[in-house]
Amino acid sequence: MNKEREELESWKRKIVKRSSVFQRVSKQAQKKINQFIPEKAHKIITESIKKMVEVTLKGSEWSNSSKAEVHLSLEEREAQIEERLEAHRKAAVIEGAGTGAGGIFLGLADFPLLLSIKMNFLSECSAIHGLDVKKYEERLFLLYVFQLAFSSDEHKKETLMVIENWNEKKEELKDMDWRTFQQEYRDYIDFVKMFQLIPGVGAVVGAYANYQLLDQLGETAKYAYRIRYFNESGK
């Protein structure tokens, strides 16, 4: 497990590392661009994220609690996660290209659809690691993994600390601040995704953006569940 632990520590260092000057400047540019986004787009994005958080916490869509076979190694579990990521990534690319080709109205429809793809992928990661997503604490964990993938540098550091100390923190965290959640997510993806609303280039941008966003989520999920694996297996 030395190789896996070294990879994990390298990834964690990347998470806590201060953002580059370019990234900080891009963040400022992004805030300016947000001012030009139509109010209708803001409302659709906000409501989509709010609904996704509420549905996840209520657990109304989590009917299966399939568990991984106990004898599976970490390597085997992560291989399964990679397979599921590939399937969800393809779905996200097709969906992004299709909605992006339709201009602003279909482009806006991409946000709730992509959220659904992401959360379904995370729920499958949870099941592969033998965790029961019918349990409230596991659904809450999904949202923290999501935040770790798509939020500001400072928020990522805070979220990583929660995930590293999940067994202790989960007792303190009975709910999710969806307003902070949605603002962090929007700020993370708006800069690229808003170009998806432009007719003529939306299909290419939508497909590319969705591919990259699923890649980011896949990497984050792999290491977040690897942290859980090491903490709970004692290996």
Side-chain angles (χ1 to χ4, degrees):
M1 289 292 173
N2 287 340
K3 176 176 176 291
E4 287 81 2
R5 284 191 177 277
E6 288 174 3
E7 289 176 348
L8 176 58
E9 291 305 316
S10 176
W11 174 79
K12 284 161 59 176
R13 286 194 294 272
K14 183 176 70 174
I15 294 295
V16 301
K17 185 179 179 181
R18 181 172 168 78
S19 60
S20 66
V21 173
F22 175 77
Q23 288 173 316
R24 295 197 294 275
V25 171
S26 296
K27 183 73 172 179
Q28 294 302 316
Q30 184 174 336
K31 290 180 179 178
K32 292 289 185 182
I33 289 176
N34 285 349
Q35 298 173 6
F36 298 98
I37 297 172
E39 185 59 29
K40 178 181 178 181
H42 281 297
K43 288 181 179 179
I44 289 176
I45 297 166
T46 299
E47 286 304 310
S48 297
I49 296 170
K50 181 180 179 181
K51 183 178 179 182
M52 184 270 283
V53 172
E54 290 176 342
V55 167
T56 301
L57 292 178
K58 289 178 181 177
S60 57
E61 292 189 358
W62 311 110
S63 57
N64 296 320
S65 58
S66 56
K67 295 196 174 186
E69 298 177 64
V70 294
H71 68 270
L72 288 181
S73 66
L74 176 62
E75 184 179 10
E76 289 170 326
R77 294 179 194 213
E78 291 185 350
Q80 288 189 16
I81 287 176
E82 184 59 38
E83 288 178 6
R84 298 312 305 145
L85 175 63
E86 181 63 24
H88 286 284
R89 192 163 46 202
K90 286 179 180 178
V93 167
I94 293 170
E95 181 267 317
T99 55
I104 187 166
F105 294 109
L106 276 179
L108 287 172
D110 176 64
F111 288 93
L113 291 172
L114 184 59
L115 285 172
S116 177
I117 290 172
K118 289 174 177 176
M119 293 310 296
N120 283 333
F121 167 68
L122 287 179
S123 69
E124 291 181 5
C125 291
S126 186
I128 287 169
H129 274 275
L131 303 169
D132 187 353
V133 291
K134 288 200 296 184
K135 292 182 177 179
Y136 180 86
E137 65 188 54
E138 295 303 338
R139 298 195 302 275
L140 190 60
F141 185 78
L142 299 185
L143 295 175
Y144 274 92
V145 175
F146 191 99
Q147 286 189 95
L148 185 57
F150 308 117
S151 59
S152 64
D153 291 342
E154 284 306 311
H155 199 69
K156 282 183 178 181
K157 294 174 188 176
E158 296 170 6
T159 306
L160 178 59
M161 288 182 63
V162 171
I163 288 175
E164 286 186 296
N165 300 280
W166 183 248
N167 286 335
E168 295 79 29
K169 293 291 185 181
K170 67 184 179 183
E171 300 302 325
E172 304 171 13
L173 304 167
K174 299 300 182 184
D175 209 343
M176 171 66 65
D177 180 356
W178 76 267
R179 292 182 185 277
T180 299
F181 184 103
Q182 67 95 6
Q183 189 61 54
E184 289 287 339
Y185 181 63
R186 281 178 50 178
D187 285 351
Y188 189 91
I189 69 168
D190 277 352
F191 187 68
V192 174
K193 293 292 285 179
M194 279 303 129
F195 286 101
Q196 187 175 336
L197 306 183
I198 303 174
V201 301
V204 175
V205 173
Y208 176 78
N210 283 9
Y211 185 96
Q212 295 298 321
L213 290 169
L214 261 293
D215 252 11
Q216 176 73 15
L217 183 61
E219 180 184 57
T220 303
K222 180 177 77 172
Y223 288 115
Y225 282 100
R226 188 181 290 189
I227 290 172
R228 287 283 301 272
Y229 180 85
F230 284 141
N231 285 348
E232 296 175 13
S233 68
K235 295 183 179 179

